[in-house]
Amino acid sequence: MAIAITRPEGKGEQLAELLIAQQIDIVKTPALKLEMLPVNNTQLSPIDDADVIIFISQDAVKGLAAHLPQLPSTATLVAVGEQTAKAIDTVYARQAQTPVQQDSEGVLALPQLQSIADKLVVIVKGEGGRTLLAKTLKARGAVLNQCLVYRRTPVLAPSDTWLDHWREAKIDGIVITSNAAIDAIFNTTNKGLLAWLNQCHFYLVSQRSADHLMRQHQVASSHITVASGPNDEAIFKCIMPEQTQQGSQMSEQQNQQNETRAVEDKPVKQKISKVGVLALLVALAGGTATTGLIIHGQQISDKTYLALAQLQQQNSQLSEQLNTTREQLVQLQSQQKQVDMQIESRLAAQTQQFDTQLQAALSSAQQQVSGALSSEVLYLQRMAQFKASAEQDFQGSIAVLQRLSDVLQHEPNTTGVLSAIAQDIALLNAQAKPQLESRYLQLHGLLAQVPELELQTLRLPEQTAASTAQLSSDVSDWQANLLRTWENLVDDFITIRHREVAVIDPLLDKQEQQLLKAQLRSHLSQAQSALMDKQASVFFSALSSAQQTLISYFKMDSAAVQAMHDELVLMQGQSLAFNQTVQLRSAKAVQGWLK
């Protein structure tokens, strides 16, 4: 007896060893191949919050482990079979619940899946398969998600190569573990192979597969044996009784064949005996009997000739049909050649049209790219010129020119433009740069000194000694005596102090002093703003106003005031080259290249 094992690659090894040990020939022909599917975050994210995770097969465990190395510790794990539970233990080091009946019905009978309303359940499986588990869990109120991690596809399509090989190997039984494998094996249109296949014995792992085999492929139930489970031991146990039974059936068939041959041989012997008797009678009869035998032989010859004539006529008709078929074949070949030529012609025309459209599209795209490049080059050059001339930002202009050089680096005929850009960069690096920062900080230091400057105030001289109030006896001193008499008279209610100052300026109060210092700070701040805005005239005007304010209202004999005055004078004497005229050579070079 010979058995074909169609389990996927890597499975059924134990079954093969058990069968070989019983001296049963095996042919391992995997009917399906495993193809892992890409799994996105939409399928994986529900697993993190799942209450129950159901694994349909070992491949489902391995497929999920490739994307998710750990499972939530709070989730209950369920495996359809013992082998799947072992895979979960190996990969995730977790124990899984396994039903007694290792199929969807058995899983649905588990106590953990009876009250699952509003619980999050994730089924990890392959593409396709039964929908009973998902429908029932939804009907029980579970929030169901499916994670498809693999797909099983036929190794060969159609299956003629398998079936030819099996028929040559005289296969008697075929082990199949899924409906998809059944469909892959019966995927042939060869009626002879299908007839042979229907005479084989099928060892299945579920009654569902048996029903599918009988319903879809019309295999008799007497040619089907269902194992008690999907593991190798269960399949082996269901094969061994069939092995003995089939051996007895084959012995009975051989006996029947021998009896049939014996029965068929007896009439032959009887015929031989009759012929012998007839020959003896012919030999003894002579004359008329001989003539009758000759006539009888002539009749047989006529029938033979008539049969030969009919065969010749049939052969002639067949020859004519063959010639007609050959002519039709020649016509079909000619028509096929014409069709091929038309197809080639149309293909050539379409190819040429496609090439023309492609060239036009490429040309249009190249023109668009060229236009975009020209716009970018022109923009960069103008920006560099603006920064150098208007803003006097030489470093910024250099950066823009370097970008322009990078853009034109790999373009054709740009040697002159690149040379002009390099000369412009050297020119800008050689330009005198105004010391804006140092002058700004210098003004900042002057602003910090303003609160400490001393304003110009009036110092009163010492009082003069009062003249004596004694009157003179000389008549000529009558005016002095009159003055002394007046002073003695008003001394009781008016006090007069005498100082040697002709004119006394009005005194400044504190508010007026603060306003003067604020005015000085305003002039210095204006100079700072003009410096940053590169307004030279405003800068020097503000410095002059600050100097005039300092001279008019501050004490010039103070060392701090004098130092600020000297610094203002020094700053006014230094020139600012804000409006340098810089003409870049790259402008003409770029215009010439664009043309």
Side-chain angles (χ1 to χ4, degrees):
M1 187 176 184
I3 299 294
I5 301 176
T6 65
R7 301 201 71 175
E9 190 70 31
K11 298 182 180 180
E13 301 296 335
Q14 183 182 5
L15 175 61
E17 293 175 359
L18 292 173
L19 293 175
I20 292 174
Q22 296 296 324
Q23 297 182 351
I24 297 177
D25 295 334
I26 64 168
V27 176
K28 295 180 65 176
T29 310
L32 302 176
K33 60 181 178 180
L34 188 68
E35 178 183 351
M36 289 299 175
L37 298 176
V39 181
N40 53 33
N41 293 330
T42 304
Q43 292 179 306
L44 293 177
S45 56
I47 297 179
D48 296 334
D49 302 323
D51 298 308
V52 180
I53 303 176
I54 303 174
F55 291 90
I56 301 300
S57 64
Q58 304 175 53
D59 296 321
V61 178
K62 297 176 182 178
L64 181 62
H67 302 281
L68 201 64
Q70 292 183 352
L71 296 177
S73 58
T74 58
T76 300
L77 306 185
V78 177
V80 175
E82 294 179 357
Q83 298 299 325
T84 304
K86 291 180 181 179
I88 294 174
D89 186 28
T90 302
V91 175
Y92 292 108
R94 297 274 300 276
Q95 297 295 323
Q97 302 293 328
T98 306
V100 177
Q101 180 180 343
Q102 299 180 8
D103 53 13
S104 298
E105 289 79 2
V107 172
L108 292 172
L110 287 173
Q112 294 84 351
L113 299 182
Q114 301 309 309
S115 299
I116 57 171
D118 298 328
K119 290 186 178 181
L120 180 58
V121 180
V122 178
I123 301 178
V124 185
K125 54 175 290 189
E127 193 175 71
R130 300 181 68 186
T131 59
L132 174 64
L133 189 59
K135 291 181 178 178
T136 307
L137 291 176
K138 285 184 178 179
R140 294 178 181 178
V143 180
L144 186 66
N145 289 275
Q146 296 189 11
C147 183
L148 307 181
V149 296
Y150 67 91
R151 177 195 297 123
R152 291 196 181 278
T153 56
V155 176
L156 291 178
S159 60
D160 296 23
T161 304
W162 290 335
L163 302 181
D164 286 334
H165 177 60
W166 290 348
R167 188 165 61 175
E168 291 178 2
K170 298 181 179 180
I171 293 297
D172 301 299
I174 304 173
V175 177
I176 307 177
T177 57
S178 66
N179 291 0
I182 293 175
D183 294 336
I185 292 171
F186 277 85
N187 183 19
T188 179
T189 58
N190 190 317
K191 294 182 179 179
L193 293 176
L194 287 174
W196 174 85
L197 192 59
N198 285 327
Q199 298 303 315
C200 295
H201 200 90
F202 296 90
Y203 299 97
L204 309 179
V205 297
S206 67
Q207 185 59 41
R208 182 173 60 89
S209 296
D211 296 339
H212 178 76
L213 185 60
M214 289 186 292
R215 182 177 60 257
Q216 295 294 332
H217 303 290
Q218 291 76 44
V219 177
S221 59
S222 59
H223 291 270
I224 299 174
T225 302
V226 180
S228 60
N231 54 67
D232 292 341
E233 294 180 358
I235 299 173
F236 174 73
K237 289 179 181 179
C238 84
I239 292 177
M240 290 307 297
E242 288 295 326
Q243 159 79 0
T244 306
Q245 182 179 355
Q246 290 232 357
S248 62
Q249 290 178 357
M250 290 175 63
S251 300
E252 293 177 359
Q253 291 176 0
Q254 290 177 355
N255 293 333
Q256 291 177 359
Q257 290 177 359
N258 292 333
E259 292 176 357
T260 302
R261 290 175 182 175
V263 172
E264 290 176 353
D265 289 343
K266 291 180 180 179
V268 174
K269 293 179 181 179
Q270 292 177 356
K271 289 180 180 180
I272 294 173
S273 300
K274 290 180 179 179
V275 172
V277 172
L278 181 61
L280 181 61
L281 292 174
V282 170
L284 295 174
T288 306
T290 303
T291 304
L293 182 61
I294 293 172
I295 294 172
H296 179 68
Q298 184 66 35
Q299 292 175 351
I300 295 175
S301 299
D302 292 341
K303 292 181 178 178
T304 302
Y305 290 143
L306 180 60
L308 289 175
Q310 292 177 352
L311 289 175
Q312 290 177 353
Q313 184 178 0
Q314 292 177 357
N315 288 336
S316 177
Q317 293 176 354
L318 290 174
S319 298
E320 291 178 359
Q321 293 178 358
L322 180 60
N323 292 331
T324 304
T325 303
R326 286 178 179 175
E327 292 177 357
Q328 293 176 353
L329 179 61
V330 172
Q331 293 178 357
L332 289 176
Q333 290 177 347
S334 176
Q335 294 176 359
Q336 183 66 32
K337 289 182 179 179
Q338 294 178 357
V339 171
D340 291 341
M341 293 177 62
Q342 292 177 358
I343 292 175
E344 290 179 358
S345 177
R346 292 179 181 178
L347 182 61
Q350 291 179 356
T351 303
Q352 184 177 2
Q353 182 180 3
F354 176 76
D355 290 340
T356 303
Q357 293 177 354
L358 180 60
Q359 292 296 332
L362 290 176
S363 177
S364 176
Q366 187 175 5
Q367 291 177 0
Q368 292 178 359
V369 171
S370 177
L373 178 63
S374 301
S375 300
E376 183 180 7
V377 169
L378 189 60
Y379 169 77
L380 291 174
Q381 198 284 322
R382 290 178 177 176
M383 177 60 69
Q385 183 66 54
F386 176 77
K387 284 185 172 294
S389 300
E391 296 183 353
Q392 299 290 302
D393 183 6
F394 301 137
Q395 294 300 321
S397 180
I398 290 173
V400 174
L401 289 175
Q402 288 176 346
R403 169 60 184 165
L404 178 60
S405 177
D406 294 339
V407 171
L408 296 174
Q409 193 69 36
H410 302 289
E411 297 298 324
N413 303 323
T414 57
T415 304
V417 181
L418 294 176
S419 176
I421 293 174
Q423 293 177 7
D424 288 342
I425 292 175
L427 175 64
L428 293 173
N429 282 324
Q431 293 297 318
K433 301 175 181 60
Q435 300 177 353
L436 300 181
E437 293 183 1
S438 61
R439 296 196 181 189
Y440 184 89
L441 294 176
Q442 190 175 3
L443 290 172
H444 181 74
L446 295 179
L447 282 169
Q449 296 175 11
V450 169
E452 306 298 331
L453 296 180
E454 186 177 356
L455 288 167
Q456 183 178 359
T457 57
L458 180 64
R459 289 186 178 181
L460 297 178
E462 298 294 334
Q463 296 181 4
T464 57
S467 60
T468 179
Q470 187 177 2
L471 299 177
S472 174
S473 59
D474 190 359
V475 177
S476 60
D477 293 332
W478 65 270
Q479 292 180 345
N481 290 333
L482 181 60
L483 180 60
R484 293 188 187 100
T485 302
W486 171 254
E487 289 176 353
N488 291 332
L489 180 63
V490 299
D491 187 52
D492 293 336
F493 55 91
I494 294 177
T495 299
I496 298 176
R497 297 189 181 122
H498 298 276
R499 301 179 187 272
E500 295 180 355
V501 177
V503 179
I504 298 177
D505 294 333
L507 301 178
L508 300 176
D509 56 14
K510 291 184 178 181
Q511 184 177 4
E512 292 174 337
Q513 293 177 11
Q514 292 177 357
L515 290 175
L516 288 174
K517 291 184 179 181
Q519 182 179 3
L520 180 59
R521 283 197 301 269
S522 175
H523 291 317
L524 295 176
S525 298
Q526 185 179 11
Q528 276 187 322
S529 300
L531 182 66
M532 299 310 297
D533 293 338
K534 299 180 181 179
Q535 298 174 349
S537 59
V538 177
F539 173 75
F540 288 113
S541 176
L543 290 181
S544 177
S545 299
Q547 181 183 3
Q548 293 298 327
T549 302
L550 196 66
I551 294 173
S552 300
Y553 299 104
F554 288 83
K555 190 176 181 180
M556 293 301 298
D557 55 354
S558 172
V561 175
Q562 187 62 41
M564 182 177 289
H565 178 270
D566 295 341
E567 197 165 355
L568 290 174
V569 172
L570 180 62
M571 291 177 67
Q572 292 182 68
Q574 296 175 350
S575 62
L576 287 176
F578 281 144
N579 298 321
Q580 301 182 47
T581 302
V582 179
Q583 186 64 36
L584 300 180
R585 298 182 180 180
S586 58
K588 293 183 179 180
V590 167
Q591 292 293 338
W593 180 76
L594 291 176
K595 292 180 181 180

